[in-house]
Amino acid sequence: MVDLKAQYEKIKPEIDTAIAEVITSTAFINGPIVKEFQADLETYLGVKHVIPCGNGTDALQVAMMALGLKPGDEVIAPSFTFIATAEVIALLGLTPVLVDVDAETFNIDPESLKRAITPKTKAIVPVHLFGQSADMEAIMEIADKHGLFVIEDACQAIGADYIFKNGRKSKVGTIGHVGCTSFFPSKNLGCYGDGGAIFTNDDKLAAKLLSVVNHGMTVRYYHDDIGVNSRLDSIQAAVLKVKLSHLDEYATARQQAASFYDKAFSGNPKLKIPARFSNSTHVFHQYTLVLNQVDRQKLIEFLTSREIPAMVYYPVPIHLQKAYLDPRYKPGDFPITEFLSGIVVSLPMHTELDAEQLNHITSSVLEFVSA
Ligand SMILES: *Cc1c(COP(=O)(O)O)cnc(C)c1O
């Protein structure tokens, strides 16, 4: 699905030098490079504070801890997402409240969101799934009206722009009260291990986030909050500083691959290409087709036989996952999520796809669906 080796080969001298400098310095934790990357990312995103941490799941957990969410508080999340979004809500003893997604964009549906709000609701976690922003203007309006926190899960969409109705642009993850991202190797800005970050424009919240990621400690060995240990190590920061300088090129490469796929598949009644939301750019973490009267499993097997990986993100909605079964929910409650889970398929999407590979992929998909 990704080709990290070919990507590394192109930036090898920069990366190798950056990693070697960390090793020579032996400042493996909290080295100066972590601050340098943090500052670069703040500039890139146009956000006041970036707090690096251990991974994207921690970023979400720490955000909820720093906002002071307490057991019994309800937190709204989409039913069609990676498990981490709901997992941290459950882990903290908060109550996950799921809502259905929009059939076109795969993102949280503002109308369903409105209906899920109760007096116990404290926060909303919109996920910018597959690389495209959720409808942030509608979500912020609902949140403001009800006094709710918005925690953006931008793990799949770093670098995407949300375009407000008045034309103003903001990077996803910087619009809500707090934004979270992951630097897992296969993410759009991936490191060579685990990593994550939290964004906010709120000075007080930034101080709290910084405390929570570091054992609730602001003065050494004095603990004002119950925190966690979640750090971005210096070697990962060194890799990320190099890769951040290429992030826009990487997004362009992904968009070009998506256009190639679009051109090959558009108009085919069996393949629905990913819809674009006019208020967002799309950075294509995934290129996801909605199939129509195609045997998905057989398609995946056929592509595998041609050495083309294809994946289903995500085959089981959160409310039907064994660990998350809940008497509040039953099959049929989130019809769009359930429909999509049964019918979507994602094709290889990364920065190193060339015309030959793209041709091989598109002609194989078309051969299967026209057979
Ligand atoms: C990857 C991902 C996460 C978790 O990130 P990790 O770094 O793997 O912990 C959370 N939410 C979404 C939507 C993701 O894609």
Side-chain angles (χ1 to χ4, degrees), residues 249-282:
E249 294 157 42
Y250 290 160
T252 304
R254 287 170 179 274
Q255 285 156 355
Q256 282 168 352
S259 300
F260 192 104
Y261 284 143
D262 279 354
K263 233 170 149 179
F265 302 142
S266 65
N268 190 307
K270 295 193 169 173
L271 304 169
K272 186 163 165 247
I273 63 172
R276 313 300 204 271
F277 174 46
S278 62
N279 291 357
S280 174
T281 60
H282 200 322

Side-chain angles (χ1 to χ4, degrees), residues 75-127:
V75 179
I76 297 177
S79 45
F80 190 54
T81 179
F82 178 56
I83 199 68
T85 317
E87 183 178 48
V88 297
I89 302 171
L91 194 66
L92 292 172
L94 314 171
T95 306
V97 173
L98 301 171
V99 301
D100 215 348
V101 294
D102 178 88
E104 297 298 316
T105 64
F106 312 136
N107 281 324
I108 199 164
D109 171 30
E111 288 309 313
S112 310
L113 167 61
K114 276 185 204 162
R115 289 194 295 272
I117 293 171
T118 77
K120 289 185 178 166
T121 309
K122 288 284 152 47
I124 306 166
V125 190
V127 179

